[in-house]
Amino acid sequence: MIILILNVAIVEDDAESVKLLKSYFIRYQRENQNIAFEFYIFDDGVKIISNFKPIYDIILLDIEMEITDGLRTAEIIRETDQKVIIIFVTNMPQYAIKGYSVNATNYLLKPLPYFAFSEEISKSIERIKREKQNKNIIIKTENCIKKIDSDEILFIESIKHDLIIHTEQDFFEIRDTLKKYEDILQDYNFNRANNSYLINLKHVKGVEQDFALVGNHKLKIARSKKKQFMEHLVNYLGEKV
């Protein structure tokens, strides 16, 4: 049996609510034996955002907490991790609309019945399974630690001993080797077009002579690699038709 192990953070300042949520997760695990949960408990938002690392699959956030409330906590988490599922647990439904501003998946209203909990967790797990079809990589820059979905990467550029990871919205500079990321992403439709570029075939709009059109970039394809690049691109496009 393949077991999906999920990291769950519960950010809640009421001990009885924490106890209830953990019991619900354990009950859900008994009813779905291919799922297991690892728990991380925080009694205030400030505790999880202090030295935050993007290791969680699901975060349950109480909105009203003494030091840092759930909305502010979610805003800070989203600066590092755009993919983690955030579910607000609250007895104040008027906060639900504000949750959309931090891309919250949903909110659960206290007192929380098990049925509503299990329905929401089932939806969240299905979303996680879909997203795990892509590769999440964690990068460390001088200023931050960030989790990036491989699907969002346009290409990775090598300049001397540094890499620039270009995404649809941003770019990140790290000290690493292109060969390492070629190995990490080998099963996720990335192709080494030359010694300087590792290209995500998903974002290739076309090829003009010896250049791949990727987003708004024209990336040189080495003559020695053009045949294998075109073969991989055609195979990838064929799979998507």
Side-chain angles (χ1 to χ4, degrees):
M1 178 186 297
I2 298 174
I3 297 179
L4 178 64
I5 301 175
L6 301 178
N7 290 335
V8 174
I10 300 174
V11 188
E12 168 65 73
D13 60 1
D14 179 69
E16 287 302 312
S17 294
V18 172
K19 184 177 179 181
L20 178 68
L21 288 170
K22 283 189 68 175
S23 72
Y24 280 179
F25 274 110
I26 292 168
R27 176 177 169 182
Y28 187 94
Q29 184 173 300
R30 285 199 306 268
E31 295 172 356
N32 301 270
Q33 296 186 6
N34 60 335
I35 303 291
F37 300 104
E38 294 283 348
F39 297 108
Y40 300 79
I41 309 300
F42 304 90
D43 61 9
D44 194 275
V46 72
K47 301 285 183 66
I48 189 172
I49 60 179
S50 176
N51 196 29
F52 178 80
K53 292 181 175 60
I55 63 170
Y56 310 108
D57 297 293
I58 300 172
I59 300 176
L60 273 65
L61 269 176
D62 184 18
I63 287 183
E64 291 192 296
M65 290 179 287
E66 185 175 348
I67 303 174
T68 305
D69 66 45
L71 288 168
R72 179 59 183 151
T73 300
E75 288 174 359
I76 295 172
I77 288 171
R78 282 288 179 240
E79 292 174 3
T80 299
D81 193 341
Q82 290 291 324
K83 295 294 183 180
V84 64
I85 290 175
I86 294 176
I87 302 171
F88 286 120
V89 183
T90 180
N91 56 9
M92 303 183 73
Q94 64 267 32
Y95 283 117
I97 294 176
K98 292 183 179 180
Y100 291 113
S101 67
V102 291
N103 193 23
T105 302
N106 211 335
Y107 76 97
L108 294 170
L109 192 61
K110 297 178 182 179
L112 178 60
Y114 177 73
F115 178 78
F117 168 88
S118 63
E119 288 286 295
E120 190 59 39
I121 295 304
S122 291
K123 287 193 297 183
S124 297
I125 289 172
E126 286 306 308
R127 174 176 161 183
I128 290 167
K129 286 179 178 178
R130 290 195 302 270
E131 291 183 351
K132 283 186 179 292
Q133 292 174 359
N134 300 325
K135 175 77 173 180
N136 288 324
I137 60 174
I138 295 177
I139 62 170
K140 297 181 180 181
T141 71
E142 290 184 359
N143 301 316
C144 70
I145 299 175
K146 198 166 185 71
K147 180 161 65 175
I148 300 176
D149 188 328
S150 65
D151 224 25
E152 297 176 359
I153 298 173
L154 299 176
F155 64 97
I156 303 176
E157 179 180 10
S158 174
I159 301 177
K160 294 183 179 180
H161 300 294
D162 294 328
L163 297 181
I164 302 177
I165 299 176
H166 297 262
T167 70
E168 297 174 276
Q169 305 295 333
D170 210 340
F171 65 89
F172 305 92
E173 295 186 36
I174 60 174
R175 180 60 62 94
D176 222 318
T177 67
L178 201 60
K179 179 63 169 66
K180 174 182 172 180
Y181 280 84
E182 185 178 16
D183 292 341
I184 290 172
L185 296 167
Q186 63 180 337
D187 296 326
Y188 297 89
N189 299 305
F190 281 74
N191 187 272
R192 185 82 169 260
N194 61 30
N195 290 333
S196 299
Y197 298 120
L198 183 63
I199 296 175
N200 187 348
L201 298 180
K202 174 185 175 180
H203 295 287
V204 176
K205 297 178 179 178
V207 175
E208 290 182 357
Q209 297 180 341
D210 292 331
F211 293 89
L213 308 181
V214 184
N216 296 319
H217 305 268
K218 291 181 69 172
L219 307 180
K220 179 72 174 178
I221 305 171
R223 289 187 179 182
S224 61
K225 294 182 178 293
K226 186 170 183 180
K227 181 179 178 182
Q228 61 86 19
F229 179 85
M230 294 302 296
E231 287 176 351
H232 288 180
L233 180 61
V234 169
N235 287 339
Y236 170 77
L237 294 174
E239 290 175 359
K240 295 300 177 184
V241 171

